[in-house]
Amino acid sequence: MSETPVPVSTTRRPRLWLLLLVALALGVRVIAIHTQPLWFDEGYSFWVSTEPTAMLLELTSLDIHPPLYYLTLQGWMTVLGVGVWQARILSVFVAVLSVPLFYQLARHLSSERVARFAVMLLAVAPLHVYYAQEVRMYALLTLLVVALLLAWQRRAWGWMGVFGGLALLTHYYAAWLLLGLGLLLAWQWRRGGEWRGPARAFATAAALFLPWALYSGVRLIDYVSDKVEIESDRPLSLAAFVERHLISWSIGHRTLGSEWILWGIPLLVGLAVVGAWWHWRQRRGAILWLFAVVALAAFLINLRTPFVDLRIERQLLYLLPLFLILVSEGLDRITRRWRHALPVLGGMLLVVMSVALWRFYVVPRYVGEDYRPILAMVGAQQGPSDAYLAIYPWQIGYLRAYLPDRRPEEILLSPATEEEASASDAEVEALLAGHDRLWFPAYQVRGRLFEQELVRSLNRVAMPVWNEWMGNTRLYLYGATPPDLPALAPLGEWSQMGQAHAVLGGEDAASGSGVVPVFFQVATPVEGARASVQLVAKDEVWGEWDRALQPGVNRAGLGVPPGTPPGRYEVRLRLYDEASTTPYDLLQDGQLAPFATLGAVTIQRPGTPLPAEALQQVAGEPVDVSFGQSLRLLGYDLEERAWQQGDRVPVTLYWQVLARAAGPLTLTIQALDQEDTPRAVLEVPLDNGMWQAGDLIRDTHTLWLPPELAAGEYQ
């Protein structure tokens, strides 16, 4: 492992090619930075970094990652603001900064030509680009390791100690690199090398890290022991460990459908083997030694405390620069012997990197785990007294990341273990205290015991509004049960189900964020019966709650959809057969009716106007068209099917009122033929006299198709 001095140029002329390469590195790392959603660990980063500093330190003392990255991210977002782009651009920044530093390091560890090859590869390395767009500490750790190794090569012992301590405070796996360096320097000292400088470096690193180690050491040991028991991962075999890391260092994380570019892995690995052989032959084995120590330590940890997931290779991202130096050394050796091989090998490497990067940009990750649609709905339709219940800290992190400016009150309720998962009705009632509505994203992939228990309790004590599958999460919305609820009143006899009782639990609700409570029951529910509670005006249904009919008292939280105009509405209850959709008749005062009218409610404007996105989310076809200074069309519903002459085509328009119109407005809807000639026309005055700035309005109309209308396609 003796080190032959490598001549290093000391010229300080600006290197235009290096600046261009840094610009390329920046470009490939900011492309599509918003494309992929956050995943669990990134949500955790947001949660920790948006807590007060004292709590941040407390939380990281109970985690497997030290606090420096989280503190850096906290300070970064204090300046730039909280958000996905702001957080990811920190990783971009430190990743791009690694490129020119790595060039200097490669020159010290090898030669100018090898350094140029290596820095070109790092600029477009898929694994490095991957973690340059992730809100985690791996890009920062890689930068600190490159800086640490450069300080070691330059014998800047003070800086080596500083970077070593910072690396340890960023990721505990930095310890294995320091171990390798310590053994290497000790071996060199026994052969007459310097010892005071290295000793000062390691003392500095220890002094920086020791306070944190004393604070968190015992907690970390307990946390790791518990995590190993809970996760119950099986360790990777040596072959699997080596294979997964070589694939990741070469083309990035392996993804479904990427098998056809695996041919590029033997190319990079083969070049790395040639480079390793050359380093060994030249008695320059520092890279090989550090590689061996770090990889062996990581493998042994994998055997003792296995944490295995699809992207666990991120733990050794900081070895990627050393791997690329070996690849570049191999490329240099081969192309010096066979000069004409450079265009061939260089072109092949370019193709491999380009294809891997293309897949990085276009292949969706975390399918089923994307919370952007969930939180877009919560953000657009939240009310002033809503709360957001989370079981996992990353769900809180997602909330803060995607809704940094305005969001419901967050409630984190995590059981210590699945065995302790329980939620009493009293605890759930306490959660609902002071909140009109409760959003609950129930993640459905893991144990789900706590989620299921919570849902049961919520169904007993709250008003179920709706639930919807969104990926691997089931998003529930509940309303608060009104106090002083009157007793259920008799409705009459429902055919096949006997006596029915019901009560309307409220007299008014806000448009878009209100819930109308309804309680009802029938004597003997029949199998396959469903209940529909509807909000009706002029025989048009504006909102509906629909569930399977349950024995006993049924709770219905009839949500008032965005765009429901202020006014007076009836609340109706109908029961029907799920298979045939045939309604069951209700006998009231000797008369049969397909539904029961429970009473009337007044829909009011919300205290705070909802954003336009709330209406665009419910529109079949979202658009964004402004009509003067008064109205903005947000979307429409128009069923595309084969209509017949004489049909009445329902058209629903979704408006945002920008300003009170000076006078009445007229709406024209036309069906145009291929020559843009109107063949069916509806012209009606808009009922905008009561519309106010900020209102969201769902506006329904019917276009009549004349009997003489010719067959064909119409716009």
Side-chain angles (χ1 to χ4, degrees), residues 387-435:
Y388 175 90
L389 179 61
I391 302 300
Y392 302 102
W394 50 262
Q395 293 175 314
I396 297 293
Y398 288 171
L399 180 71
R400 296 175 181 177
Y402 290 127
L403 301 177
D405 300 321
R406 179 176 174 267
R407 57 181 178 268
E409 179 184 343
E410 57 196 42
I411 302 174
L412 179 61
L413 186 63
S414 296
T417 65
E418 286 289 347
E419 289 73 17
E420 297 177 15
S422 63
S424 69
D425 291 357
E427 291 171 329
V428 173
E429 287 175 347
L431 292 176
L432 285 163
H435 302 112

Side-chain angles (χ1 to χ4, degrees), residues 26 56 101 116 127 268 294 335 356 388 418 502 566 571 624 712:
L26 175 62
L56 184 156
L101 282 182
R116 292 193 178 200
L127 193 67
L268 279 96
V294 173
T335 55
Y388 175 90
E418 286 289 347
V571 177
D624 191 347

Side-chain angles (χ1 to χ4, degrees), residues 304-524:
R304 180 68 179 86
T305 57
F307 301 127
V308 181
D309 62 30
L310 295 176
R311 293 171 292 275
I312 195 62
E313 300 83 29
R314 61 185 178 270
Q315 309 279 13
L316 295 185
L317 173 67
Y318 71 79
L319 285 185
L320 175 65
L322 300 183
F323 175 77
L324 294 180
I325 289 177
L326 295 179
V327 171
S328 302
E329 190 75 72
L331 181 63
D332 178 62
R333 289 298 97 201
I334 292 174
T335 55
R336 284 183 184 275
R337 187 178 182 90
W338 296 286
R339 294 185 178 181
H340 297 298
L342 181 58
V344 176
L345 292 177
M348 293 173 67
L349 287 172
L350 178 62
V351 170
V352 171
M353 296 295 188
S354 299
V355 173
L357 279 177
W358 170 73
R359 292 194 57 79
F360 165 78
Y361 296 132
V362 303
V363 175
R365 298 197 295 273
Y366 323 119
V367 177
E369 316 293 349
D370 189 352
Y371 264 52
R372 287 177 294 188
I374 292 174
L375 292 172
M377 180 174 291
V378 174
Q381 300 188 30
Q382 63 181 304
S385 299
D386 287 4
Y388 175 90
L389 179 61
I391 302 300
Y392 302 102
W394 50 262
Q395 293 175 314
I396 297 293
Y398 288 171
L399 180 71
R400 296 175 181 177
Y402 290 127
L403 301 177
D405 300 321
R406 179 176 174 267
R407 57 181 178 268
E409 179 184 343
E410 57 196 42
I411 302 174
L412 179 61
L413 186 63
S414 296
T417 65
E418 286 289 347
E419 289 73 17
E420 297 177 15
S422 63
S424 69
D425 291 357
E427 291 171 329
V428 173
E429 287 175 347
L431 292 176
L432 285 163
H435 302 112
D436 292 335
R437 298 190 307 177
L438 176 65
W439 301 87
F440 176 34
Y443 188 57
Q444 300 293 299
V445 173
R446 299 184 180 177
R448 294 185 294 161
L449 296 179
F450 197 26
E451 287 88 344
Q452 292 171 353
E453 186 69 21
L454 271 176
V455 168
R456 293 190 191 100
S457 293
L458 285 164
N459 285 332
R460 289 192 296 266
V461 303
M463 307 303 303
V465 179
W466 50 259
N467 67 80
E468 181 178 347
W469 279 97
M470 304 183 77
N472 293 329
T473 295
R474 198 165 186 173
L475 180 61
Y476 291 89
L477 179 61
Y478 289 90
T481 301
D484 305 322
L485 187 70
L488 274 67
L491 288 179
E493 294 276 343
W494 230 296
S495 61
Q496 305 180 42
M497 288 180 279
Q499 187 66 36
H501 294 76
V503 66
L504 185 61
E507 297 181 352
D508 53 50
S511 177
S513 60
V515 176
V516 179
V518 177
F519 298 80
F520 61 93
Q521 72 176 100
V522 296
T524 55

Side-chain angles (χ1 to χ4, degrees), residues 127-276:
L127 193 67
H128 199 250
V129 174
Y130 191 110
Y131 288 101
Q133 290 194 358
E134 187 164 287
V135 189
R136 295 297 283 165
M137 66 286 300
Y138 305 107
L140 177 60
L141 174 65
T142 303
L143 171 65
L144 292 171
V145 166
V146 169
L148 162 67
L149 294 175
L150 182 58
W152 161 57
Q153 283 293 292
R154 291 181 169 177
R155 290 172 169 74
W157 304 116
W159 284 112
M160 176 182 165
V162 170
F163 290 130
L166 295 179
L168 284 172
L169 289 170
T170 302
H171 198 289
Y172 293 120
Y173 268 32
W176 313 128
L177 183 74
L178 289 172
L179 172 64
L181 275 174
L183 294 174
L184 177 61
L185 291 169
W187 181 82
Q188 292 176 348
W189 169 68
R190 288 179 59 88
R191 298 176 62 87
E194 182 182 359
W195 68 271
R196 288 186 176 85
R200 186 168 68 252
F202 283 95
T204 301
L208 288 173
F209 182 68
L210 185 60
W212 177 254
L214 294 174
Y215 176 66
S216 65
V218 175
R219 299 182 181 192
L220 177 64
I221 294 172
D222 293 340
Y223 175 84
V224 171
S225 300
D226 293 340
K227 186 174 177 63
V228 170
E229 182 178 353
I230 293 172
E231 299 289 341
S232 299
D233 287 342
R234 298 184 62 181
L236 293 173
S237 66
L238 179 60
F241 181 88
V242 172
E243 177 191 18
R244 288 180 56 163
H245 283 83
L246 290 179
I247 290 175
S248 296
W249 290 329
S250 300
I251 63 170
H253 292 304
R254 186 172 182 174
T255 58
L256 186 64
S258 65
E259 292 79 6
W260 61 287
I261 61 170
L262 294 181
W263 62 268
I265 298 169
L267 171 63
L268 279 96
V269 173
L271 291 173
V273 170
V274 173

